[in-house]
Structure formats: C-alpha cells, structure tokens
Amino acid sequence: MNAITQLLQSVGRGEEGALADLVAAVYIELHQMAARRIAREHSGAAALQTTELVNETWLRLFPSGATTWENRSHFFGAAAEAMRRVLVDTARHRGALRRGGDRKMCELDESHAIRAIDLDLVLDVDEALTELEQIDEQVAQVVKLRYFAGLTNREAAEVLHIGEATAQRNWAYARAWLFDRIVDNPID
C-alpha cells in the first residue's frame, strides 16, 4: 500500500499527528501541481500565487479536519477538483470587483507573484466543462486534471486508472471540443 494512502487512512481514523504527516507528504506535490497550472497561463490578468492556490485547495480538501479518502488517486483527483473550484471562485470574485467593487490598487514587483492566471479563460473553461461532463465524464475528468491541476497525461491516467494513450486521446478530444466552445481563447 502506498505511503500516502496509509496516511490518508490514518487521517480518516483521526489518528493524532496523521494530518501533519500527510501535509509533509503531499504539500510539495500539490505545490508542483499548482505551479504547473499557473506556469501555463498568460500574463496580464490578476495574479494568483502558487502557495495561495495550494493553501486554498487544502482548506477545501479538509474543511473541518479529518476527511476520508480511499487512496492516493482519490485524494489527488479531489485536489484537482478543489483547484478548479478555487480558480473559478477567484475568477468570479475578480469579475465582481471589475464591475464596481471598491478595491485598492497595489503595485508589486515580479518577485511577489508567479505568472498570472487568465481568470476570464478559467470561467469560460469551467462553463464549457460543465457541459462536457454531461457528454463524457471521463473526458471531463482528464480536463480537470490536465487544465486545472496541471498534471501530465501520464499523471492523469494514473489518477483515473486508465491507460496513458486513453488519457492522451481524451485530452486531444477535450481540447478540440473546448476550442469549439471557446473560440477566442484556445487552451494549451
């Protein structure tokens, strides 16, 4: 049994210190997922830092302490979905601010922010993804893992327990399908 799976089960049983051990075991991988996601985005939009994305994801994964996860794949699949929700909520909030929210501008140098996420595109993809989920759930899951969590085809295949070639075909299909829905903003 995978060490992360064992830690997840310990957290589910409420064992003392298990949550701290889990954080130590998965934080770097979650940070890498977030960094890959942010690195693919275009500059010019409101910045969301990698650490901020990881922390918000963690809070959604463990809203009140212990949660039960079947295994490593289940956990990272849920993490991808949580990252998606954080990005979508951030984009919606940014849109609300643009329509008259009383925000204050603050200049930060490049050392304070990783690459910015195109939050309008995140909203467009999320809206199209909701439709795609009704057509093909597995293809939609590949999009969540690739686009929102920044996983590779191999990593997405591992999480979904499918072949890498299937993940690659699903990703190619999803990109074409999403491009058709979001003509002005194709995804990578």
Side-chain angles (χ1 to χ4, degrees):
M1 185 181 299
N2 181 304
I4 291 175
T5 299
Q6 290 175 336
L7 285 171
L8 289 166
Q9 291 174 353
S10 296
V11 169
R13 290 188 299 267
E15 293 179 16
E16 189 174 331
L19 190 58
D21 292 342
L22 180 64
V23 170
V26 300
Y27 186 84
I28 291 173
E29 195 165 345
L30 286 173
H31 201 274
Q32 290 170 343
M33 285 171 59
R36 284 191 305 257
R37 174 67 187 100
I38 289 173
R40 289 192 352 250
E41 292 302 324
H42 311 297
S43 59
L48 183 65
Q49 295 181 3
T50 304
T51 302
E52 182 180 13
L53 179 55
V54 171
N55 291 342
E56 288 296 322
T57 298
W58 188 265
L59 290 173
R60 288 175 189 237
L61 288 170
F62 295 95
S64 61
T67 302
T68 303
W69 303 103
E70 294 174 22
N71 54 36
R72 182 184 189 284
S73 295
H74 182 219
F75 174 79
F76 283 106
E81 177 64 21
M83 279 187 190
R84 171 186 175 207
R85 300 291 359 134
V86 169
L87 292 169
V88 167
D89 289 349
T90 300
R92 286 185 179 139
H93 179 71
R94 187 181 128 234
L97 290 176
R98 230 188 299 157
R99 291 186 302 273
D102 60 337
R103 62 182 180 183
K104 296 180 181 177
M105 295 297 285
C106 171
E107 293 294 325
L108 299 176
D109 62 42
E110 288 187 21
S111 67
H112 289 87
I114 315 265
R115 296 190 63 200
I117 291 180
D118 182 346
L119 296 176
D120 291 330
L121 180 58
V122 169
L123 287 176
D124 291 342
V125 171
D126 180 63
E127 185 177 313
L129 186 58
T130 301
E131 185 180 339
L132 181 58
E133 286 176 317
Q134 302 304 313
I135 296 168
D136 192 324
E137 177 66 27
Q138 186 180 77
V139 172
Q141 289 296 329
V142 170
V143 173
K144 289 176 188 177
L145 294 169
R146 291 291 318 267
Y147 185 76
F148 288 100
L151 299 183
T152 65
N153 280 325
R154 184 181 42 198
E155 293 166 332
E158 181 183 311
V159 168
L160 296 174
H161 305 291
I162 60 175
E164 185 175 350
T166 301
Q168 188 172 1
R169 279 190 306 273
N170 287 348
W171 179 237
Y173 168 76
R175 287 180 62 204
W177 191 91
L178 289 168
F179 180 81
D180 188 49
R181 300 298 184 284
I182 309 169
V183 176
D184 295 331
N185 296 311
I187 65 172
D188 294 325

